[in-house]
Amino acid sequence: MNRSRYYTAKKELTPSLAAVEEIEPTSALYVDAQFMKAIILYRAGKIQESTELMVKVLALLEQKAPDSELKSVAALTLARQQFQQAQYKEAFQTYLKVSKNNPLWTQAMMEQAWTQIVTEDYEGASGNMYSLHTDFFKNAFAPESYIVRAVGYLNLCQFGDGAKAVYSLHHRYSPMKDMLEQYQNKNKTEMNYYDTVRNFFQNKDTKVIDGLHRNFIYELARHP
């Protein structure tokens, strides 16, 4: 696995693929290796082959490790592959397999709503995004959800509701956008970003750290 990751990082896909194929089905790393293989195949342009393997990987994870981090990652990855291939109904169902206890769930729900948009289930897409705007998700960083909601309303000819969604997006995130631009202008090195994330974990009760809101730093930390 380490050899495969090494070659993948160097964009040498042939030795990377050869490395994961050495891992036997009896190994505790077998499912991880198959997930890695699916990623390598995708990067090599073998999208259909990668998708078929990812289906098998997700099935194995649902059976052996339904609460694992990898299961949610595999579900999100497979759903994106299906969406890319215009398999929207399949993608919709796969997004539902991302665990609600996983930090990826909010992102999965926004992407799932796009499958509803392209299949013309505008009411469903808008309704699902409305649930993300309740107090329960007040600390989530999800500006895209307002875009989905607005697009849904516009296609339903509910222009007033669409305008309200855009206004809500502007009202909630414009100040944060200004803070992000100021932060980016002041912090020019990678270490500045790592320091901010470190401060985030060390000051758990502080809402604004280094000029950034906690909910954005949380997303930043999840996407290194």
Side-chain angles (χ1 to χ4, degrees):
M1 284 297 295
N2 288 336
R3 186 147 43 94
S4 180
R5 293 188 183 106
Y6 169 77
Y7 283 121
T8 300
K10 295 183 67 176
K11 299 181 180 180
E12 298 180 17
L13 302 182
T14 299
S16 177
L17 184 61
V20 293
E21 288 184 337
E22 292 182 24
I23 299 175
E24 299 289 340
T26 54
S27 169
L29 292 174
Y30 179 72
V31 179
D32 298 69
Q34 293 302 295
F35 175 83
M36 187 72 172
K37 180 180 178 180
I39 297 299
I40 296 168
L41 289 171
Y42 181 88
R43 293 185 65 178
K46 300 178 180 179
I47 299 176
Q48 183 61 36
E49 191 175 343
S50 171
T51 303
E52 291 173 357
L53 179 56
M54 193 66 75
V55 169
K56 296 177 182 178
V57 170
L58 182 57
L60 284 172
L61 287 166
E62 288 183 303
Q63 179 184 356
K64 296 182 177 182
D67 299 323
S68 67
E69 174 79 13
L70 185 58
K71 180 251 182 178
S72 290
V73 173
L76 184 63
T77 304
L78 175 58
R80 288 171 171 174
Q81 290 177 310
Q82 291 168 330
F83 187 97
Q84 180 182 357
Q85 297 171 77
Q87 299 171 5
Y88 302 123
K89 292 182 179 180
E90 293 84 351
F92 178 88
Q93 294 300 325
T94 305
Y95 278 122
L96 290 174
K97 295 182 180 181
V98 175
S99 173
K100 292 183 178 180
N101 297 322
N102 192 286
L104 292 171
W105 185 79
T106 303
Q107 180 64 32
M109 290 303 97
M110 287 188 289
E111 294 183 22
Q112 182 197 58
W114 285 116
T115 70
Q116 294 174 290
I117 291 291
V118 296
T119 55
E120 300 183 1
D121 180 13
Y122 307 120
E123 187 174 358
S126 299
N128 287 342
M129 292 304 94
Y130 181 81
S131 65
L132 293 182
H133 300 157
T134 61
D135 287 343
F136 186 81
F137 296 100
K138 64 182 179 181
N139 293 322
F141 180 78
E144 186 179 354
S145 62
Y146 290 91
I147 301 298
V148 176
R149 191 174 169 189
V151 170
Y153 283 141
L154 288 175
N155 280 280
L156 291 169
C157 296
Q158 295 178 217
F159 303 116
D161 290 328
K164 287 180 181 178
V166 174
Y167 173 80
S168 297
L169 169 66
H170 178 79
H171 177 74
R172 181 171 182 181
Y173 287 104
S174 285
M176 189 178 295
K177 178 175 179 291
D178 294 338
M179 295 170 75
L180 293 174
E181 290 175 344
Q182 292 174 18
Y183 180 90
Q184 195 171 33
N185 290 333
K186 292 179 181 178
N187 298 277
K188 302 298 184 180
T189 70
E190 291 89 345
M191 189 54 65
N192 294 142
Y193 290 80
Y194 281 106
D195 287 341
T196 294
V197 173
R198 181 181 61 186
N199 292 336
F200 165 80
F201 286 111
Q202 291 177 342
N203 300 276
K204 297 183 178 180
D205 296 325
T206 305
K207 293 184 178 181
V208 177
I209 297 173
D210 296 344
L212 296 179
H213 281 290
R214 288 191 67 85
N215 52 4
F216 174 80
I217 301 175
Y218 179 77
E219 292 300 320
L220 178 68
R222 290 204 306 111
H223 297 277

